[in-house]
Amino acid sequence: MTQAPASARSTVRRHDREIVALAVPAFGALVAEPLFVMVDSAIVGHLGTPQLAGLGVAAALLTTAVNIFVFLAYATTAAVARRVGAGDLPGAIRQGMDGIWLALLLGAAVIAAALPTAPGLVDLFGTSDTAAPYAITYLRVSALGIPAMLVVLAATGVLRGLHDTRTPLYVAIGGFTANAALNAGLVYGAGLGIAGSAWGTVTAQWAMAAVYLAVVVRGARRHGTSLRPDAAGIRACAHAGAPLLVRTLSLRAVMLIATAVAARLGDADVAAHQIVLTLWSLLAFALDAIAIAGQAIIGRYLGAEDAEGARVACRRMVQWGIAAGIVLGLLVIASRPLFIPLFTTDTAVKDALLPVLLVTALVQPVSGVVYVLDGVLMGAGDGPYLAGAMIVTLAVFAPVALLVPAWGGGLTAVWWTMALMMTLRLATLWLRARSGRWIVTGATRA
C-alpha cells in the first residue's frame, strides 16, 4: 500500500489538531442554548403535558427570535478571522464592537414586538386551549432575555474569530449551571411554575452577556479600539449579515412549519416533538462545533491569501463531519431507553417519541456534512449563495410538510420531511463546495 507523503500527513495532523483545539471548546459553548431549553423541558415536563406543550410552542418562537440573528456570530467570526489572517487585529475588534451595538439595537426591537403580540403568535400555532396560557406566560417573560442572547452571539463571534473558543466554553458552563439551579429553585422551591422557569433562564442569560461584555471591552481597550457606536460600522455589519439573515429566516421557517404541523396533531404529539426538537438542536450544535472551527480556519486562510490551504482544510473538515454524524446517530439509538424517561412519563408521548428518534439518528451523517459545509461557506463570506440555497430548500419542504395531516401522516412523517430538508441542503452545499467559487482571498470579501 502506498503511503501518503510525509508533508501531506503532517498537514492532516496539523489540521486535526487545530480543528480539535477549536471545536471541542466550541461544542461546550454551543450546547449551552439547547441545554437551556432541555433543562426547562425536563423541569416543566414534570408539571404536566399541557405545560410542556406550551413550552414547546413558546420555545420554538423564542429560538426563532434569537436564531434569525445568528449572523451576529457567524458573519462576525468570518470577518474577524479574515482581519486576523491579514494581520489587522485592531480592525478585527472594531468590527466586533459594531456587531455588539447592532445586537443591542435588534434586541430592543424584538422585545417591543414580542410582548404585545405574544397571544397572537401562540394562536398561529393552533395551540390547544389548555397549553396556550402556559405558552404565552413563558414567551412574555423569556422575551426579556433576547437582547442578552444577541449580545452573547456577537461577542462570541469576536472571540471565535480570534481563535478563542475557550472563553465561550467557560461562560457557557457558568450560564448552564446558573440556569439549572435557578429553574429548579423558582419552579419548585418558589412555586412559580412555568413562569419561574422563564425567569431563571432570563437571569442566567443576562449574567452571561455581562461576562462577555467585560471580556470584549477589555480587549478593545488593550488595542486602543473605540467603544462608542459607529453608525457607518453598524450599517456595514447589518449589510454583511443580511444574506445570512435570509438564510436563517428560511431555516427557522422550516422549524416553525414542522412545529405548527405537530401542534395540530395533538398535545401528545407536540410534546414529543418538543422533546425531539431539543435533542435535534443539541445534535446540530454538536456538529456545528466543527463548522465553527471551519469558519475561523477558512476565514484566516482566505485573509492570508492561502487558497490551497482553505481547500485542504475544507476537505478534512468534511471527513470530520461524516465521522461525527455517524457517532452521534449511534449514540441516539443506544441512549433511547435512558433519554425518554428524563422528559416524560406520559405513555402517549413515549409512543410518539420512539420512531421519531430513529429518524433523527439516521439523518445524522447527512447533517454532519451539511453543517461543516455551511461553516466553510460562512467562513468564506459566501452568504448570498447560502441564502439562495436555503430559499430553494424551503420552497420544496413547505408544501410537503403542510400536506402531512392531509395524507394522514403522524409525527414520524413530519420528521421524515425534516430528513428530506437536510438532504436538499446537502445537495446544494456540496455543489457549491465542489465549484470552488466560494474561494475569494483578502482581508475583506469584495
Side-chain angles (χ1 to χ4, degrees):
M1 180 181 295
T2 303
Q3 291 187 340
S7 59
R9 293 196 302 271
S10 175
T11 298
V12 168
R13 286 195 296 268
R14 175 165 52 82
H15 282 308
D16 287 348
R17 287 194 298 269
E18 189 168 26
I19 291 169
V20 170
L22 291 172
V24 170
F27 167 74
L30 281 169
V31 298
E33 182 180 340
L35 284 176
F36 270 36
V37 179
M38 191 173 286
V39 167
D40 289 3
S41 299
I43 292 174
V44 171
H46 290 285
L47 293 175
T49 297
Q51 288 90 334
L52 182 57
L55 172 64
V57 173
L61 288 165
L62 289 163
T63 302
T64 299
V66 173
N67 283 356
I68 60 174
F69 301 116
V70 74
F71 71 85
L72 291 166
Y74 291 159
T76 303
T77 298
V80 170
R82 274 184 179 267
R83 293 283 186 180
V84 169
D88 182 12
L89 192 56
I93 297 176
R94 176 65 260 177
Q95 285 191 322
M97 290 302 305
D98 292 336
I100 290 173
W101 280 110
L102 179 61
L104 288 169
L105 292 174
L106 291 173
V110 172
I111 287 181
L115 293 181
T117 60
L121 291 171
V122 170
D123 186 59
L124 282 175
F125 277 77
T127 312
S128 69
D129 291 340
T130 56
Y134 299 111
I136 294 169
T137 296
Y138 191 90
L139 178 59
R140 279 179 164 162
V141 175
S142 293
L144 301 177
I146 289 175
M149 292 310 293
L150 298 189
V151 168
V152 167
L153 286 176
T156 300
V158 178
L159 296 180
R160 289 174 184 167
L162 296 171
H163 286 225
D164 176 9
T165 55
R166 291 185 178 275
T167 299
L169 171 62
Y170 300 146
V171 176
I173 291 173
F176 172 73
T177 303
N179 179 64
L182 287 167
N183 269 256
L186 293 175
V187 171
Y188 296 116
L192 296 180
I194 196 169
S197 176
W199 280 115
T201 300
V202 167
T203 303
Q205 288 167 342
W206 275 107
M208 292 172 65
V211 174
Y212 272 116
L213 286 173
V215 171
V216 174
V217 167
R218 185 170 63 247
R221 287 175 173 168
R222 184 184 308 121
H223 294 283
T225 303
S226 173
L227 300 176
R228 294 181 179 180
D230 176 68
I234 293 172
R235 285 195 301 269
C237 184
H239 183 268
L244 290 182
L245 175 60
V246 173
R247 170 255 182 201
T248 304
L249 282 171
S250 300
L251 182 57
R252 292 311 308 171
V254 166
M255 301 301 180
L256 288 173
I257 289 170
T259 300
V261 172
R264 283 165 170 78
L265 298 176
D267 282 0
D269 282 306
V270 74
H273 177 77
Q274 166 61 18
I275 292 170
V276 178
L277 200 59
T278 58
L279 176 63
W280 177 274
S281 298
L282 178 61
L283 296 170
F285 280 115
L287 293 171
D288 209 24
I290 305 172
I292 283 173
Q295 291 171 30
I297 293 170
I298 295 297
R300 191 193 68 228
Y301 274 119
L302 295 178
E305 302 190 2
D306 185 355
E308 182 58 28
R311 290 190 186 92
V312 173
C314 175
R315 287 195 294 269
R316 188 56 180 167
M317 283 181 286
V318 167
Q319 294 169 354
W320 272 79
I322 294 171
I326 292 172
V327 170
L328 289 175
L330 293 174
L331 285 174
V332 170
I333 293 173
S335 63
R336 282 186 307 156
L338 300 174
F339 176 80
I340 294 175
L342 288 175
F343 294 92
T344 183
T345 57
D346 190 311
T347 302
V349 177
K350 287 182 177 181
D351 290 342
L353 274 173
L354 287 170
V356 175
L357 288 174
L358 286 176
V359 176
T360 302
L362 290 173
V363 81
Q364 290 313 299
V366 173
S367 298
V369 180
V370 167
Y371 281 95
V372 166
L373 291 180
D374 224 23
V376 167
L377 297 184
M378 285 180 189
D382 201 15
Y385 180 84
L386 289 171
M390 198 60 228
I391 289 173
V392 170
T393 300
L394 173 61
V396 176
F397 167 84
V400 176
L402 292 172
L403 284 172
V404 166
W407 291 340
L411 188 62
T412 304
V414 173
W415 278 87
W416 275 118
T417 65
M418 294 288 284
L420 169 65
M421 178 269 296
M422 294 303 295
T423 303
L424 291 170
R425 291 186 69 192
L426 174 62
T428 56
L429 295 174
W430 184 262
L431 287 172
R432 186 64 168 183
R434 287 287 299 270
S435 74
R437 294 175 184 172
W438 53 276
I439 299 176
V440 178
T441 59
T444 60
R445 185 182 176 99

